[in-house]
Amino acid sequence: MQSTIHFFGGAGTVTGSNFLLDTGNKKILIDCGLFQGDHVAEVGNWEPFPFDPKEISVLINTHAHIDHIGRIPKLVKEGFRGKIISTEATKALALPMLMDAMALSSRTAEHLGKEPLYEQKDIDQAMRQWEGISYHQTQDMGDGVSMQFLDSGHILGSAMAEFTRQDGGQARKVVFTGDLGGGNSPLLPLAEDPQGVNYLLMESVYGDRVQSDDALARKSKLEDVIEDTAARGGTLLIPAFSTERTQDLLFDIRELMVGKRVPSMPVYLDSPLAEKITAAYLAHPQYFSKEIQARIKSGEHIFSFTELHFVESSAESEKINATHGAKIIIAGSGMSNGGRVQAHEKVVLPDANSTLLIVGYQAAGSMGRRLAEGVKSVSIRGAHRQPSETVHVACRVETLYGYSAHMDGEQLLEFANKVSEGAHDSGTLKEVFVVMGEPASAGFLAQRIRDYLSIKATTPHAGEKAEIEF
């Protein structure tokens, strides 16, 4: 049997995940995410889809990050009426994420002079088409193809999509990994190892580097940064994605404060979205690691502590910087490209007593990437059509990539090796498609897979396709 994989987004870039598996009689879309990063990337979200949404049979969604779900309402708006399938946790997280993305994209649309990407009615329609299932629950895709989700260990409910098709009595398998967690989260289980895979489409965000901060060193460095900023009476500002990164931070800061390892000070979670996501996490405890499930069952409130303040309104947000003394602010967005964090950065960046702590991947062209690389000034867009403002950077800028929710280069290579070893029962792993990474990262990982594992590995570009025996 022959099928075709089309690479529409997440090929040659990290964001905009969007792949199509055409089995001959069924067109199965895997992810439909927003392009993020610089201005050129954002404009791409308004481009027409390179396929007819009405012809898509089903959409499989790997997890709730906006670069994997952000264009789903646009897909629905343009005629897609098939089923959307994800884990239950992903479906629960998706609604607040999409609502937030709609507000942000509306402001971007106004800035670009374009129509809104989608509206509330499109999100509502998408949720009506959405079905949440459990890990390892087999779904019939039609055309002799079945699908199940495997835990990818990336964020709550994140999954690899494993497709199986019978070929002359022998099962053929294609796996789309989505994003793969590196085991850094104190909240989640480790990623599973798929077995019997013939074709693997895998992420490569950190394919060309090794993360130096493991989970233990991460908490120790966080402790040091908090203590240092507190000693100077400054503000510790942490731009953080609302999903997973914020929950990991809250968990670690809570343990440091409850354990008296850092001074007591106000901790402001200035993100209504992150508050909703945290509530959704607690509503799906079955997706946590066994240890965390046990702690919750014993009555522990894993995200609650005296110093924590949830900031609801914009007016409350504006008052935070008027409070004197040391404090911690966690605010979105995680790449500093928009959201409430930018208002805080106008105050924190010029303050030599304060610290900006970058804890996650920063896409090329994003303001967070420029800050991590050491720029001395940035331009921050004004609110309510006000002109942009140039802000000088005098604060300390620290990076702590131990909070990464991705496997690093060594882990990705070992993951591919395990998949290869597990493929021997039903034929060899024929090819690895390395995607969802910047070109240098994806190319480096593909070369290592070829060199160390002797497996064909390619780095497809957007618009390309691959014929597979499936």
Side-chain angles (χ1 to χ4, degrees), residues 361-383:
Y361 176 78
Q362 308 295 305
S366 67
M367 193 169 90
R369 178 71 159 261
R370 297 197 300 275
L371 287 165
E373 291 174 345
V375 297
K376 297 305 179 184
S377 67
V378 292
S379 178
I380 298 179
R381 189 183 303 171

Side-chain angles (χ1 to χ4, degrees), residues 177-197:
T177 67
D179 288 339
L180 294 165
N184 288 344
S185 174
L187 305 174
L188 303 178
L190 298 175
E192 295 182 70
D193 296 323
Q195 301 293 308
V197 180

Side-chain angles (χ1 to χ4, degrees), residues 38-60:
D38 59 16
H39 173 78
V40 175
E42 291 183 348
V43 170
N45 293 313
W46 274 265
E47 295 295 324
F49 287 108
F51 51 83
D52 185 351
K54 296 176 183 177
E55 294 182 355
I56 301 301
S57 307
V58 61
L59 167 61
I60 304 299

Side-chain angles (χ1 to χ4, degrees), residues 355-429:
T355 304
L356 179 74
L357 179 61
I358 295 174
V359 295
Y361 176 78
Q362 308 295 305
S366 67
M367 193 169 90
R369 178 71 159 261
R370 297 197 300 275
L371 287 165
E373 291 174 345
V375 297
K376 297 305 179 184
S377 67
V378 292
S379 178
I380 298 179
R381 189 183 303 171
H384 309 299
R385 299 186 180 181
Q386 295 299 311
S388 295
E389 178 180 342
T390 298
V391 178
H392 295 283
V393 181
C395 73
R396 300 189 184 189
V397 178
E398 302 280 355
T399 58
L400 182 48
Y401 293 123
Y403 278 96
S404 171
H406 294 268
M407 288 185 180
D408 67 15
E410 292 299 322
Q411 292 172 314
L412 289 167
L413 182 64
E414 179 59 23
F415 176 83
N417 184 46
K418 288 181 178 178
V419 172
S420 175
E421 291 175 343
H424 292 164
D425 292 338
S426 57
T428 60
L429 178 59

